[in-house]
Structures are given as C-alpha cells and as structure tokens.
Amino acid sequence: MQLTRIAQALLLTLVASHASAATMDSARARIAEQAQKLEPELLETRRDLHAHPELGNTEKRTSELVAKQLQAMGLEVKTGVARTGVVAILKGALPGPTVALRADMDALPVKEGSDLPFASKAKGTYLDKEVDVMHACGHDAHTAILLSAAKILTGMRDTLPGTVVFYFQPAEEGPSDFIPDGKNTWGAKMMVEEGVMKSPKPDAVFGLHVWAGVPARQIAYRPGPTLASSDDLRIKIHGKQTHAGRPWDGIDPITVGAQTIVGLQTVVSRRTDISSYPSVVSIGTINGGTRYNIIPESLDMAGTIRSYDYGIRQKLHSDVRQTIEKIAESGGAKADVTIIEKYDPTINNPALTEKMLPTLKWAAKDDVVQGPLVGGAEDFSFFAKEAPGLFVFLGVTPQDQDMSKAAPNHNPGFFVDESALVVGVRTLASLASDYLYGNAGVGK
C-alpha cells in the first residue's frame, strides 16, 4: 500500500513536471513571437526616451510616459514612488508566486557626442548648475525593454500563475538635487524604505543592464558577488596656517595629505585579505590653499571605497579611518573622516542564478558567458537584499567592432546596438514567466 502511494505521488510529480515544461515552452514561444512583433514600438520608445533624458529625482516626463503606457495595459499603477518612481502590478489568473522586474530611468550629466537623429540636446540642473544631459548608461534602453516585457506578460495574464511587479526606479545614478550625506536616500533604497517589496512581497527579483564592451545580444552573468559596494570617503585635515617660507611656525595639512594618500595605498595592499575578492580605495579630489607662499589652514580630500563582501567592507572602513587619523596625528594635525555608505555590493543569489541559467541561454540563443567582477556599483543591490536576486548584463556593442575600443558606459560616445534590445525583452519576460511556471504550486 505504501509503495503504491509513493508510486502515485511520483507519477503525479512527473506529470506535473511535464505539464509545467509544456506550459513554459508555450510561454517562451509566445514571448519570442511578441518580442519580435513589438520591436518597432520598443525602438520608438527607446529613442524618445534617449532624446529626452532626465537626471535623478527629476524624471517627471519619463515617469509620466511609463505610467501612461502601463495604465493602457490595464495594470494597477502607482506613481510618485520614491519621488518619481512608478510601480505596476500584474495579477495572473492562476495562483502562484510573485516575481519583480526592475528598470532604472535616470540619465547622467554628460554631453552627448553622437550624431544620431535622436541624440540628446537636453539640459538639466545638477547641484544647482545647468548641465547637458545624456542617457550615457543606457537607462533609456532598460525602461523601454521593461515596458515591452510588461506588455507581453500582460497579454499572457489568462494563463499566468502568480503575480509580476514592475519597478521603474528613479535616481540609480544618484540624486541631482542633493549631495548624499548618509541621511538622505534615493532610488532603489528609497523604494524599499517606502515598502514596495512588502505588498506584494516578491519571491525573486530580476534586472539587467546594457553594457559596452560586450558583443551585442550576448548575456553575461555571474553567481554571487557581481558589482562592488560604493562608499564615499571624505577627509578634512586641520593644520595651522603660516608663511610657506617658515613651515616650522605652522602645521602643513598638504604634506600630511600627501602622506595620507600614500598611506591609504597600504590599506588594501597590506591589511586587506584580497584572496577572495578585490577591494579599492581611491582619492579623487584634493582641495586646499589659496596662494603659492601660504601653507593653508586645512585641506579637503574625497574618494571612494569599494569591495564585494560585507565583512571586508566594514574592515576597510575601520582601517581607512585609523590610517588617516594616525598619519594626521603623527604630523601634528587632526583629521575628520566621514565614510558614507551609498551602495551595497550586488550579490546574485547562487541558487537562483543556477536555476535561471537555462532561461538566459534561451533568451540569448545560447550566447551566454560568465562575466568578471564589475568595479561599478548598482543600487539593484537593495532589492536583492530583500529577495533572492539575479542581475545580468546585456551586450550592446556591435559584434564587428573591437570590444576593447568601445566607448564605455558613462562616456559621451556610449552607443547601443539596438538589435540587442529585443534580447533584453525576451530575457526579462522569460525570467518572470519561467520562474512563475516553474514554481506554479508556490504562493497564493
């Protein structure tokens, strides 16, 4: 009797598995067909967004365009999230888990260098200064891709088991209207703080980023730590002003600053275990002094601290602070050290990554590679702390071009081979669909 029940259970499991696979294959076929059909609309949206970029926390036109399209799909739409963000909810007709898809919407204070017919001529205000604005990191592509994925998945509502939540996020590149101080938050962190991942709570969250130097239509992924944390380092060295011809009458903050820069190089090279993951401490600005023959009262420096591990990150902060303070003390000066944690490391859930790898291979027609660690930071990390996450890179450099010579993200010459965008649509739509159909017995 017991063996009979076990056999029946195994048979039911096998039947369910085959049914799920058949449904998943049917869904993929529909996604592929609709993604190709929607490509003209996808490109039109991307070009419109590219021609009208907006800086972080000012994405008013972009969010209005996004909300209008989502509302036309009949989705439940909430605007004004984290100031200018948009969240939409698609409830499938069948019970199942919840999955979230994310795209960022903001641009950068960069003057476009291309002669594209839809090149940006936009201006914006960055920290009270008028600047040129460009989608130099491809967030226009991300937004257009997710809108097309939302339209495809909405068309599958009648057979969809579970819920899909779409996050259109502002200010991934940071705010344009204030300097981060550790108290103000923006972008993904603010969306999380406002509760977007509580109701409904996703079982998994997915995102992608278009990337220069990777062949168009190729997908690069990495399990575990993928992008670095990013923390602001701010240093003020207090000395004692005096005549440069009589340095012994004062305390020279410039000399102490130079010693500090040299000393900081030993924090990673001699005090940090880099056998698992690398780390970086860099000084980017130095400001001090008013005249060639005056030793100034103080010196200001700023830089960045980056790592891929939470434990290493905290040790770096402690070692950096101690190094700066002790070097200043040895020169008779005093140092104020401020470390502002901005972006957490982006860590792809290993089990989720392995589970969804066949989906990535399907979406990119097997053109999938495991990529290297990326020294940049991404606030997708805040979503991935709340639910298992997977963040992948979509190549957008023309395949006949030398990848090493491609203008990188954040460069005025950054270029998107638009043939890759339909792969992005297949990727996000199928990640959501495959996850839902593959876990159809889970959730409400």
Side-chain angles (χ1 to χ4, degrees), residues 355-368:
K355 182 176 182 178
M356 305 312 297
L357 184 55
T359 303
L360 299 179
K361 290 180 177 179
W362 174 83
K365 298 182 179 179
D366 287 326
D367 192 4
V368 177

Side-chain angles (χ1 to χ4, degrees), residues 42-43 45-50 62 102-106 135-149 168 208-211 394 396 414-418 420-422 424-425 428:
L42 164 70
L43 299 186
T45 298
R46 184 260 163 168
R47 293 174 182 181
D48 177 73
L49 292 171
H50 189 87
T62 304
R102 174 270 202 167
D104 38 13
M105 303 186 295
D106 58 320
H135 270 297
C137 203
H139 297 186
D140 53 334
H142 303 167
T143 301
I145 286 170
L146 186 54
L147 283 170
S148 290
F168 290 87
L208 64 73
H209 204 301
V210 295
W211 206 248
L394 172 64
V396 292
F414 175 73
F415 177 79
V416 171
D417 181 337
E418 292 183 326
L421 302 190
V422 70
V425 175
L428 288 186

Side-chain angles (χ1 to χ4, degrees), residues 145-185:
I145 286 170
L146 186 54
L147 283 170
S148 290
K151 192 166 190 176
I152 292 171
L153 292 168
T154 299
M156 299 164 58
R157 188 200 308 256
D158 290 347
T159 60
L160 207 61
T163 300
V164 186
V165 190
F166 305 96
Y167 302 147
F168 290 87
Q169 179 209 310
E172 188 279 327
E173 300 288 359
S176 62
D177 51 355
F178 65 84
I179 296 174
D181 60 2
K183 299 176 183 176
N184 290 302
T185 59

